[in-house]
Amino acid sequence: KELSSPYVLICRNYKGDVDMAEIDHFLPLLMTQEEEGLTCPIMSHGNVHFLWIKHTNLYLVATTNKNSNASLVYAFLYKVVEVFTEYFTELEEESIQDNFVVVYELLDELMDFGFPQTTDSKILQEYITQEGTKLEVAKTKVPTTVTNAVSWRSEGIKYKKNEVFIDVIESINLLVNANGSVMSSDIVGAVKLKTMLSGMPELRLGLNDRALFALTGRDKGKTVTMEDVKFHQCVRLSRFESDRTISFIPPDGESELMSYRINTHVKPLIWIESVIEKFSHSRVEIMVKGGKEFLMRASFGLPSVENDEMEGKPPITVNFEIPYFTVSGIQVRYMKIIEKSGYQALPWVRYITQSGDYQLRSNF
């Protein structure tokens, strides 16, 4: 649903229990809240609730008259954005208008009678194409993955060389005050896969998870404590909860297997010192020193400025990427690949540490 013009661009009524005219109340409610500076992600008109997100020039709005699971609704709305973006590259008013038929087909497959169904874009692309003439033919050949328990992977996948690439990527969020003390820090990590495996392989991933080592009585070497762990739907959660084993049948191609957060004190990997000197109303000199290796000195000639009011002191933001290293010490201990045909597969592992929200406040 798109209201930025404002008008409803496209809609789908899954259950028929909310009057379609109710959407006319959404934009006035939103404008009223924006004027008051109290914008809320959930708004109500009578007994109808609007749950909405904004993407580019579009508002995606879900309506309900029941006490629905808000987290589920928002997860679905963001999934719609993800799927449409993979189909149309850019999700905006023009891409919806140019692809009405495909959009309606996707809306019918993404949800049925108010319940999310097939939301994996790779599977959807097997039978919903962007060529209108092929669309009717493809509809008669719905992949078995849609009705299978393994809805995220098609059957009959074959590769000449079976490989799986594992990327462990950690982003450091860090805030250092002007006195050099770390005010806040944490690590946000993700394990990403690029799977090129034939058939329906069973994979088991082993990490140096502290909870696993404590459960098995092994507590040797470096371990990490992961919090806020989120898995791809392919991971067997019951197995993980019982014995911390990460067991799954992977999607084909690229996917994010899991994400996690590590709440720990992080020692700054990159240190920046800066000095700003004002020599006159028209010249400013900035010196930035990074560790013991780099020194940058810059002098700026500026138009004459007579305003001597205190200027803001924005923090220094640092962007970096360090390969072959994770600041938390997380390690892939093993990746077991089991497939009924018995083929041998090669797992490859790469570690990357990069900057997240990495800021150092200046003292000048």
Side-chain angles (χ1 to χ4, degrees):
K1 299 172 184 177
E2 198 279 342
L3 302 171
S4 60
S5 297
Y7 65 96
V8 177
L9 180 60
I10 196 166
C11 62
R12 181 70 171 85
N13 194 336
Y14 290 102
K15 301 181 72 174
D17 57 350
V18 176
D19 190 332
M20 296 296 290
E22 286 290 341
I23 193 63
D24 295 337
H25 300 290
F26 169 72
L27 196 63
L29 284 172
L30 180 63
M31 293 177 65
T32 300
Q33 287 198 353
E34 288 180 343
E35 290 172 0
E36 297 173 353
L38 300 171
T39 306
C40 179
I42 301 177
M43 300 184 295
S44 300
H45 177 261
N47 66 338
V48 175
H49 310 292
F50 303 101
L51 295 85
W52 63 279
I53 63 173
K54 186 176 182 181
H55 181 82
T56 58
N57 62 340
L58 302 176
Y59 289 96
L60 288 85
V61 187
T63 59
T64 179
N65 58 7
K66 295 181 173 58
N67 186 19
S68 301
N69 184 331
S71 296
L72 175 64
V73 174
Y74 282 110
F76 178 77
L77 290 176
Y78 282 110
K79 194 67 181 180
V80 169
V81 171
E82 180 184 323
V83 170
F84 284 6
T85 301
E86 292 206 18
Y87 264 83
F88 313 131
T89 306
E90 295 290 338
L91 176 56
E92 52 191 14
E93 182 178 349
E94 291 76 10
S95 59
I96 297 295
Q97 291 174 332
D98 293 342
N99 297 277
F100 269 128
V101 175
V102 178
V103 169
Y104 273 117
E105 288 284 337
L106 289 171
L107 290 175
D108 283 341
E109 296 298 331
L110 286 164
M111 179 171 282
D112 182 31
F113 198 66
F115 295 97
Q117 300 296 311
T118 306
T119 58
D120 191 303
S121 59
K122 290 189 178 69
I123 301 302
L124 289 167
Q125 286 169 358
E126 291 186 20
Y127 63 104
I128 297 181
T129 67
Q130 287 176 268
E131 293 83 8
T133 55
K134 294 183 179 179
L135 192 60
E136 297 302 320
V137 177
K139 283 174 65 178
T140 63
K141 299 180 180 179
V142 177
T144 55
T145 47
V146 174
T147 54
N148 278 356
V150 186
S151 61
W152 54 87
R153 185 179 178 88
S154 301
E155 295 181 351
I157 297 173
K158 293 183 180 179
Y159 287 98
K160 290 183 179 179
K161 186 177 182 180
N162 291 286
E163 298 177 300
V164 56
F165 298 88
I166 308 166
D167 281 348
V168 181
I169 303 172
E170 291 191 339
S171 300
I172 302 176
N173 298 321
L174 181 81
L175 177 61
V176 178
N177 67 15
N179 297 323
S181 300
V182 176
M183 298 181 65
S184 63
S185 64
D186 67 355
I187 302 167
V188 177
V191 177
K192 298 186 177 183
L193 301 179
K194 183 177 182 181
T195 307
M196 303 168 66
L197 299 172
S198 304
M200 282 285 181
E202 170 86 18
L203 275 60
R204 294 175 189 168
L205 175 67
L207 305 172
N208 56 335
D209 177 9
R210 184 167 300 170
L212 171 63
F213 279 39
L215 192 65
T216 57
R218 295 175 298 171
D219 195 9
K220 298 179 180 179
K222 173 71 174 178
T223 59
V224 296
T225 301
M226 296 181 292
E227 302 177 25
D228 301 336
V229 180
K230 178 183 176 183
F231 288 110
H232 187 279
Q233 61 176 327
C234 67
V235 176
R236 296 182 177 88
L237 295 180
S238 58
R239 181 76 184 274
F240 179 77
E241 290 170 358
S242 63
D243 60 12
R244 305 290 288 190
T245 298
I246 303 175
S247 173
F248 59 99
I249 296 174
D252 186 48
E254 297 181 358
S255 63
E256 181 172 293
L257 179 66
M258 62 179 290
S259 61
Y260 60 89
R261 183 177 63 86
I262 298 177
N263 189 12
T264 183
H265 178 79
V266 179
K267 183 179 178 181
L269 297 180
I270 295 178
W271 189 261
I272 301 292
E273 295 178 8
S274 65
V275 176
I276 295 182
E277 295 183 75
K278 296 182 179 180
F279 292 93
S280 67
H281 289 298
S282 60
R283 189 166 73 91
V284 175
E285 186 170 292
I286 302 176
M287 183 181 70
V288 179
K289 180 181 179 184
K292 298 181 180 178
E293 299 184 29
F294 302 101
L295 175 64
M296 180 186 77
R297 188 185 297 271
S299 180
F300 297 91
L302 306 173
S304 180
V305 178
E306 298 296 335
N307 190 349
D308 290 328
E309 292 183 5
M310 288 293 293
E311 297 178 0
K313 300 178 181 179
I316 297 173
T317 300
V318 184
N319 296 314
F320 61 85
E321 182 174 294
I322 305 173
Y324 316 115
F325 171 74
T326 56
V327 68
S328 71
I330 194 170
Q331 294 178 346
V332 174
R333 296 174 48 245
Y334 63 82
M335 170 65 88
K336 295 181 180 178
I337 304 168
I338 305 167
E339 214 278 331
K340 61 182 181 181
S341 65
Y343 63 70
Q344 297 295 313
L346 297 173
W348 304 90
V349 183
R350 180 174 62 171
Y351 300 98
I352 297 174
T353 291
Q354 62 188 18
S355 56
D357 186 11
Y358 195 103
Q359 297 186 343
L360 298 95
R361 292 180 177 172
S362 303
N363 189 9
F364 54 80

